[in-house]
Every structure is written in C-alpha cells, then in structure tokens.
Amino acid sequence: MSGVFEQNPFYVLGLATGATALEAERQGQKLLGMLELGVAASRTYATPLGPRELNTDLVRQAMADLRDPDRRVIFEALAGLPATDATAAPTAPPAWEGALAAFGWRRPSSP
Amino acid sequence: MEAAIVPIGPILLALVWAFRAAGGSSTAAGASVRLSRGTAVDAWIIFAMVLRGLAALAATAAVAGLMSEAPTYLGSGIALIVVSVLLFPGAIVDRVLAPLGLVRLTFWYSRMLCPFRTISDPLAGAVIDASRALRRSRVDRSATAAALGFERLTWRGPIASGWALIAWAELADACGDTPRARQIFEAAARAGDWRWAAARRHARLWMAADAAERGDWERVIALGRAAPWRHQARLMAHVVEATLGRPRRGRARLVARSIVTPSRRVLLPWILRALAATPPAGVEASPSGDADPLRQALVLHAEAVRAGASVRWSQLAALALAWERVASPATDAMLGRRIAVLGARIDPGVARDALLAEPREDVSRLMGMIAEPLPSGLVEPPLLRSVRHDTCDARLSALESLIGRLQVGGSPLPPPSSPDAWAAWGAVRAAYESLAQLSAPAELAWVLQRGWGHLCNHAAWIANACGEGALAHDIFAWLYAECRRLGVPADMKLLKENARVTG
C-alpha cells in the first residue's frame, strides 16, 4: 500500500486540502456510519492511482492524522494530485480463490 | 452358449494375482507401503460396486426379454472394465480413486500401472497421486502419510528427475503444511539440472496458482517472466499485467499466447477480463513551463507505483532525483505558510525532512518487486542509493543467517530429512536471488566470496554423510557457475570436480 497516496487522509476521507478540522471530523463520522451499514458507495475511495478499498481502520487513522496539525502539514503537501474516479484506472483484481483447484490442486478438506 | 467365450475365471484370477503382486512390487522397491488390509478392502469394495452395477444391467436385460444375451453383456462388461483399468490408469486415478480419497489404493494402483503414466519417476508419481487422494480424504492426513512412510519412500527412490522433490512438496501441501510446500517447490523451481525441466514446470505452476490464490499479483508476474514461453504461469502473468493496465505487449500477443498455452480454458475468464480492461488514463503531467518540483515528484511517484513490478531502475532514479529537488527554499516557504495557518508547532526544516522521508517506504517496496536487474553504470541519486543499501543490508543479514544454519558436519540426518535439506537450500537460493536483484556484480561477488566455503562444505557433507548426490550436485554446480560468472576467487577446480562426481 502506497503511503504517499493510499494512506493520505485527504484521499481516504475524500476532502480538499483546505477542509477545516470540523469538516474532517464530520466526514470521518459519516464514512464510519456508512461502512457500518454496508452502504456500497462507501466501500471505495478515490486516489491518484485509482479507487482503493476503504475500511474503518483507514478512516480512523485518517481522522487521527488530520487532528494533528504537524502531520496534517505533511499530508497536505502530498495531496497535490487529483484523485481519479472509479472508472478512470484499472484496479488490482481480487485474490483468485480456487486458483489451485482450477489447475487440479485441491486444498485439503477439514478432517 | 456365447457366454462360454468370456474368460471370467481367468480375469478374476488375474485380478487376484495383480493384488498380490502389488504388495510384492512395493517391497522389492524398498518401500514401506504394502498392500494392506485397508487397501484390499478399498479395492474389493469398488470391485463389488462394479459387479453390482453389471448384475443390475444383466437383470434389466433379462426383464427386457434379452435373457439369452445377459451373460454375454455381463462378460463383455467385465472385460471392458478390466481393459479400461489396465489401459487408462490416469483416468481411473483422476476420475475415480483420487476423488474418492482412497489413499492406499490410489498409491498402489498408480505404482502398479506406472509404465502407462507419463511421469519419469514412477514411485514419486504414485506418491503425487496418493497426495491428491489425501487432499480429499477425511482421515488424519499427517498421521496417514507418516504411517504409510511416503516421505521415506520417495527419499529412497531415484531423485534424478526431480519428481521426488515435487512428491514431497505435494505431500506437505496435502497435509496442510503449505509453508513447507512453498519452500520445497521453490527449491524444485530453481534447480538447474536439465533433467528437471518437467518438475520445474510443475513447481512453477503450483507457485503461480498459490500466489494468485493469495492475491499476490506481483509474485505471479515475477514467476511468469521466469517461466518458459508456453507455460501457464507466463500466460497468467501476461493476463495480470494487462488487467493491471501495464500493457507491455499488445492484445494480439495476449490472444496468440492464449492459443498456444495449455489450460487456456481455465484462464479464459481472466483472459476476457484482461482484453476488456482499458489502459490507465495516467496522471496528468505538469505543463512544461510549470516547474513545481513537488508536483513533478508526485506525478513520477504515481507512475512508478502504478508500474509495480514493471518499474525500471531508470524510472526509480528519476523519481529519487525529483524528490531530492523538492528540498528547496520554495518548499520550506510553502510549509512555513501552512504551519502558520494551521497553528502547527513543527519546525519547517523538520517538516521538510518528514516530507522527504514519506516516499522512502514506497521506493523500498518497489525495489522489493522490481523485475529488472540492477543495470551496471546506473547513476544513483543519494535517496535511491540509501534505500537500496538499507534493503540490501536486510537481505544480506537474512541470507547469511540462512547460510549459517546449514549443517556442515556431525552425524547424518535421519532418512526423511531430505525434504528439509532441499527446503533449506531453496530458501538460501531465494534469499540470494532477492539480494542479487538489487546488487551490483562486485557487491554480489563480495557476498559469495564470504559464503562459498560454507556452502561447499555443506554440499560435501550432504554428499558424503547423507548420500544426497542430487542436492550436493545442485549446490556444487550452482556455486561453480555463479563464482565463474562473478569472477569470485574460489577453488574452481574443486567445485567443478565435485559437481562432476556428484552429477
């Protein structure tokens, strides 16, 4: 996972670099609520590398990073590229469950 | 009567003889697996099921008014089954015995009919087949494998073709010990003997499928690049690269490779997905007149991260240079302004250092997956050199630790130790090659100069005390070739002679 882009709190929370601390807090809480409810729109976030999978740990870390002004200065500087939307860039395919089985190897069944 | 011409009696006698002979043949090969009571019960249960099916068929024929034909049908059916059993052992193992999880019977049947199988090492082939049955079995797999002495069995068998190594790895995987299976497959995939080509292909396919199952696509790409042209792992790598938007080759090449590669049906959904993937839009580069060093560094950074394993050393060097240019009074001034606005307490100089430390992790990660060897004469900016040296130091420590653990003397290891010895050698080779990926030839020669003596002693002990000629040969041959390539002042005559004696 790229620390520069994929862990940047501005991309994770979908905020502009000029967002206030209050806006960051509200956006984080909103995303946490949506993730808990399983809302499809909250499952990914846009980065300059394309969409990435979002989870509650990432959101909490992003909120903590933006509460610290010293950390926020660094992440602001690193958030200089626009994030691309979900269709602009290819994403890594999910793990191929059953790849071994497809070639004739079967994982042992539980005894 | 027509039934008189069907030799049912001799067929049954032949079957009984075959069952008895199977026990004898295993013993003659020095195997610990014999035709046990469990195997015989498995065999007779299947035979009884077949007879019952034939009896039902004959009864149906009788009811349908074909009474006079029933014995003929019965006899012909038995003859057909016997012929199938003798002529199509592969299909019987693949479709009947292994799916039913009949471990002993699968081993025995595969061993008995080995001349009809394609694997050049029949004993290892039988263990591989039995491993497949073991995966389906619901018994305690490790205990079953140990009770049957499979590891000991392949250790005693010929190892010249490399299939014994595959058998050990398959067995470890079937028993649920996947990390050990990975290490042994790794050793098999890296073995240099030309006679091991088929075993290497098998190992590479397992490793690629295992990596795909874990979602480790960079590993799939790396394995595919090292695979032969028509290998499935190569097609998998091509498909993954196209899916990730790294079109090193065109779609026509992908289609052509799909046609010539075996097992393309398995990969068809992935091939279609790759063909449907659109190339990445790319990050908008700065206009040529815009000289914002931070934005330029970010653009190059995004391109390098997106390239993944396809990133090139020249690209990393340009990226490192771009980040170094970020360290400027303009950046300090920009950071100072934001620090004042946000009310932060960090010093602008410290903030700049923290900013420049952020890309190190990504650069280090990219170095871990880069497929291209370090080119000679690359001009390294200080950031790149510093990250490379840190990564090399960590890899060198891991390699020296692995080499240090290799035994060079003492009493021989107990018989089933051979898979462990191969796994240890596989780990050393993997660690060496990961270090070689980031090292200049002179640096690598220095590393090998420090370690060749220990490796040579280990190989000599393996050959003399353990009788493991194949493993010792693999070590000696690799040491000789590598020392020669790098110009290491080792005892080349000794290495060459040892490789010849053990080969």
Side-chain angles (χ1 to χ4, degrees):
Chain A
M1 180 173 262
S2 165
V4 172
F5 300 117
E6 291 167 301
Q7 291 172 343
N8 190 308
F10 290 101
Y11 297 130
V12 172
L13 299 180
L15 292 171
T17 49
T20 63
L22 190 60
E23 283 171 334
E25 205 63 33
R26 275 191 195 142
Q27 179 68 3
Q29 293 297 343
K30 181 179 145 194
L31 283 173
L32 286 174
M34 288 169 77
L35 281 168
E36 273 183 27
L37 291 172
V39 178
S42 66
R43 287 186 194 139
T44 58
Y45 65 102
T47 74
L49 306 172
R52 292 294 184 263
E53 204 171 312
L54 188 61
N55 59 49
T56 52
D57 290 343
L58 268 173
V59 174
R60 289 202 179 95
Q61 183 60 48
M63 291 168 73
D65 284 337
L66 290 188
R67 279 183 207 124
D68 179 355
D70 291 357
R71 297 280 297 151
R72 178 176 170 142
V73 169
I74 311 297
F75 286 119
E76 269 190 17
L78 293 172
L81 294 183
T84 58
D85 62 20
T87 54
T91 56
W96 181 7
E97 282 179 33
L100 283 163
F103 287 102
W105 287 282
R106 184 187 150 122
R107 287 282 187 214
S109 49
S110 52
Chain B
M1 289 289 288
E2 289 179 45
I5 61 169
V6 179
I8 294 175
I11 289 170
L12 288 174
L13 278 174
L15 276 173
V16 172
W17 171 82
F19 278 103
R20 292 170 66 91
S25 67
S26 294
T27 312
S32 60
V33 174
R34 291 161 190 262
L35 184 63
S36 66
R37 183 178 294 173
T39 315
V41 169
D42 288 345
W44 285 113
I45 285 173
I46 287 185
F47 191 60
M49 285 165 62
V50 170
L51 278 183
R52 191 180 160 190
L54 288 171
L57 191 67
T60 309
V63 169
L66 300 169
M67 192 64 188
S68 60
E69 304 289 332
T72 308
Y73 288 141
L74 185 64
S76 305
I78 291 176
L80 190 66
I81 288 167
V82 171
V83 167
S84 305
V85 163
L86 290 173
L87 291 187
F88 306 108
I92 299 287
V93 167
D94 293 346
R95 306 285 175 199
V96 182
L97 301 180
L100 286 173
L102 303 171
V103 182
R104 290 180 183 83
L105 186 60
T106 305
F107 172 79
W108 167 81
Y109 180 70
S110 182
R111 179 88 183 92
M112 191 181 80
L113 296 174
C114 58
F116 302 95
R117 305 303 301 272
T118 52
I119 291 179
S120 55
D121 181 344
L123 193 56
V127 174
I128 291 170
D129 286 337
S131 302
R132 290 170 52 212
L134 203 59
R135 291 167 194 271
R136 306 276 185 149
S137 169
R138 292 198 165 266
V139 296
D140 183 345
R141 283 177 285 272
S142 298
T144 305
L148 293 170
F150 279 156
E151 283 206 347
R152 187 183 295 260
L153 194 71
T154 44
W155 178 74
R156 287 184 184 181
I159 200 170
S161 66
W163 283 108
L165 212 56
I166 299 295
W168 288 322
E170 292 271 2
L171 205 55
D173 192 37
C175 292
D177 192 351
T178 309
R180 181 179 159 90
R182 278 193 198 115
Q183 282 184 326
I184 302 175
F185 272 127
E186 190 89 43
R190 290 176 194 279
D193 196 316
W194 62 271
R195 290 167 295 185
W196 287 44
R200 269 198 301 273
R201 277 199 300 274
H202 185 99
R204 282 199 184 111
L205 181 58
W206 185 92
M207 288 160 70
D210 176 55
E213 198 155 281
R214 286 180 283 123
D216 187 352
W217 300 115
E218 302 300 345
R219 176 82 175 135
V220 172
I221 292 170
L223 284 166
R225 284 183 180 169
W229 191 68
R230 285 183 67 242
H231 195 274
Q232 295 96 325
R234 191 131 187 171
L235 176 59
M236 281 171 79
H238 199 148
V239 164
V240 171
E241 281 185 297
T243 309
L244 290 173
R246 299 178 197 162
R248 293 204 320 148
R249 308 166 201 96
R251 289 183 181 189
R253 190 91 180 257
L254 176 58
V255 172
R257 193 184 293 287
S258 308
I259 291 168
V260 299
T261 306
S263 308
R264 55 190 166 276
R265 195 164 54 85
V266 172
L267 290 166
L268 189 61
W270 292 84
I271 294 167
L272 295 176
R273 181 178 175 160
L275 290 173
T278 50
V283 177
E284 191 187 338
S286 293
S288 54
D290 180 5
D292 179 1
L294 182 55
R295 185 177 161 79
Q296 284 187 345
L298 288 169
V299 168
L300 289 176
H301 198 99
E303 282 171 2
V305 172
R306 182 173 288 148
S310 308
V311 74
R312 302 190 69 84
W313 280 102
S314 55
Q315 208 176 342
L316 284 183
L319 174 63
L321 201 59
W323 276 111
E324 281 165 15
R325 284 186 182 141
V326 170
S328 66
T331 304
D332 289 356
M334 182 271 289
L335 289 170
R337 280 196 300 276
R338 290 306 298 163
I339 287 168
V341 169
L342 293 169
R345 281 175 288 188
I346 192 170
D347 180 77
V350 175
R352 185 196 57 211
D353 291 345
L355 178 67
L356 295 178
E358 286 290 330
R360 285 183 70 93
E361 193 185 329
D362 280 351
V363 173
S364 173
R365 198 172 51 81
L366 285 168
M367 267 186 198
M369 62 174 77
I370 191 166
E372 182 194 19
L374 183 72
S376 59
L378 176 77
V379 179
E380 288 182 285
L383 171 65
L384 188 64
R385 191 171 8 178
S386 157
V387 174
R388 187 172 73 82
H389 284 179
D390 286 352
T391 313
C392 280
D393 283 349
R395 291 184 182 189
L396 180 60
S397 308
L399 174 65
E400 290 190 331
S401 164
L402 286 169
I403 291 177
R405 271 187 250 158
L406 294 176
Q407 200 168 342
V408 293
S411 57
L413 297 169
S417 66
S418 202
D420 294 332
W422 276 99
W425 173 233
V428 168
R429 282 290 303 275
Y432 177 84
E433 279 168 30
S434 78
L435 178 64
Q437 198 69 33
L438 303 185
S439 304
E443 295 165 336
L444 210 53
W446 176 79
V447 170
L448 203 56
Q449 195 175 341
R450 282 159 55 103
W452 82 269
H454 195 87
L455 285 172
C456 183
N457 290 339
H458 172 68
W461 175 74
I462 283 278
N464 297 332
C466 305
E468 276 291 340
L471 175 55
H473 173 73
D474 198 52
I475 299 173
F476 284 130
W478 177 83
L479 269 177
Y480 176 73
E482 199 62 6
C483 288
R484 191 174 173 187
R485 182 178 74 85
L486 296 169
V488 176
D491 190 340
M492 301 301 285
K493 196 176 166 188
L494 173 76
L495 292 176
K496 190 175 182 181
E497 180 60 18
N498 284 348
R500 191 189 63 77
V501 169
T502 52

